[in-house]
Amino acid sequence: CHHQYRDGMLVSATRAVEFFDSLLKFITEEQDEWFGIEFRQLLIDQPWALQLRQQAVDFGCSFRLTPRFASPAVHLTALEAAGLEAGWSSSRRKSYRRNRNRVEKLGAVRMRLLTQYADVLPGVERFLKLEHSGWKGAQGTSLLSTPQETEFARKMTRAYARAGNLIVSELWIGDEVAASALNFKAGNQLYAFKIGWNDRFAEVSPGVLHEVELIHSLRETFPALAWADSCAY
């Protein structure tokens, strides 16, 4: 669907070799009309992808890496103590700190990471309303714009929440949510799915403030996470 930002396979690490052998045999020996499998948005350095590429050679198969594109992600375990700011230009750091100082005059700034099922569901509803209240709602691209999109969002987030793999991140300024995002966990990686922000705080770039606070909170709360993928192009 158009919400699919990454392609991949959910394969058990203990059964990967056996599974890929069966898959490659099926493609090469049992399906004359098959040419291959296309992954349009594949992270080629994923462990399972590297394993599949290695085993494909034994079956006379190969990977065609065309086209290729870069996508921004944060290597959480290698990030400097200063966080995202360490890689910014001096002008961007000044702009961020200026906005942060302006925000702190409006109220206390805090990041909430919602992971428990009872907390996540209200958080999802706050996110949906926030996303719909901005430009995405005006353009008809928010998840509340059509009944089908809304049903998709609620079913998916509930399923991920039950499995313990959904993090709703909320940047609060005083008693208001300034920005909120849906983030999905898979192994040691986090995938940023959607973000929405309160237009009342538009002048202080609430989305940027949210991302900085999110990375800081993830490193403290989920030390096992190695990567935060923006899912952007």
Side-chain angles (χ1 to χ4, degrees):
C1 71
H2 62 277
H3 293 301
Q4 182 176 321
Y5 301 138
R6 292 288 178 265
D7 288 332
M9 292 184 174
L10 294 175
V11 183
S12 169
T14 60
R15 303 295 297 276
V17 173
E18 177 185 355
F19 171 75
F20 289 141
D21 276 347
S22 297
L23 175 66
L24 292 163
K25 182 177 180 181
F26 174 79
I27 294 175
T28 58
E29 299 180 10
E30 301 178 23
Q31 292 291 322
D32 293 337
E33 71 274 17
W34 279 47
F35 179 75
I37 300 176
E38 181 179 15
F39 298 101
R40 296 188 178 185
Q41 296 170 323
L42 171 69
L43 298 179
I44 61 174
D45 57 352
Q46 292 282 293
W48 72 265
L50 295 175
Q51 179 67 36
L52 178 55
R53 291 173 66 184
Q54 179 180 339
Q55 289 179 233
V57 175
D58 296 332
F59 286 82
C61 301
S62 63
F63 269 67
R64 297 185 180 184
L65 303 177
T66 303
R68 301 179 66 175
F69 63 89
S71 176
V74 179
H75 191 179
L76 296 169
T77 54
L79 193 63
E80 295 183 28
L84 293 178
E85 290 185 71
W88 290 353
S89 65
S90 59
S91 60
R92 189 175 185 186
R93 284 196 296 269
K94 289 178 182 177
S95 175
Y96 166 75
R97 291 168 185 169
R98 182 169 57 252
N99 286 334
R100 180 61 187 253
N101 291 335
R102 292 170 62 189
V103 162
E104 290 176 346
K105 295 178 181 177
L106 301 175
V109 179
R110 57 194 174 97
M111 169 64 70
R112 294 183 63 197
L113 299 182
L114 309 178
T115 58
Q116 299 300 313
Y117 191 79
D119 299 325
V120 164
L121 296 186
V124 169
E125 294 304 316
R126 286 193 294 271
F127 162 81
L128 291 174
K129 292 178 181 177
L130 197 63
E131 185 200 35
H132 189 65
S133 69
W135 65 269
K136 294 181 183 179
Q139 293 187 358
T141 60
S142 73
L143 292 171
L144 283 183
S145 294
T146 65
Q148 295 87 350
E149 293 288 285
T150 305
E151 182 182 11
F152 160 78
R154 288 181 174 142
K155 284 186 175 181
M156 180 181 64
T157 52
R158 285 171 185 165
Y160 269 85
R162 281 193 295 268
N165 290 324
L166 171 63
I167 299 176
V168 179
S169 51
E170 295 182 333
L171 177 72
W172 287 72
I173 299 176
D175 59 356
E176 292 187 76
V177 179
S180 176
L182 304 180
N183 309 279
F184 299 112
K185 288 193 301 177
N188 66 348
Q189 301 198 45
L190 188 80
Y191 294 88
F193 179 59
K194 296 280 187 180
I195 187 171
W197 54 83
N198 190 331
D199 283 344
R200 195 171 85 79
F201 301 100
E203 293 185 356
V204 293
S205 302
V208 174
L209 294 174
H210 171 277
E211 296 307 304
V212 172
E213 293 298 321
L214 173 62
I215 295 301
H216 176 73
S217 297
L218 288 175
R219 296 172 75 190
E220 285 192 344
T221 310
F222 298 96
L225 286 176
W227 290 92
D229 189 337
S230 71
C231 292
Y233 294 96

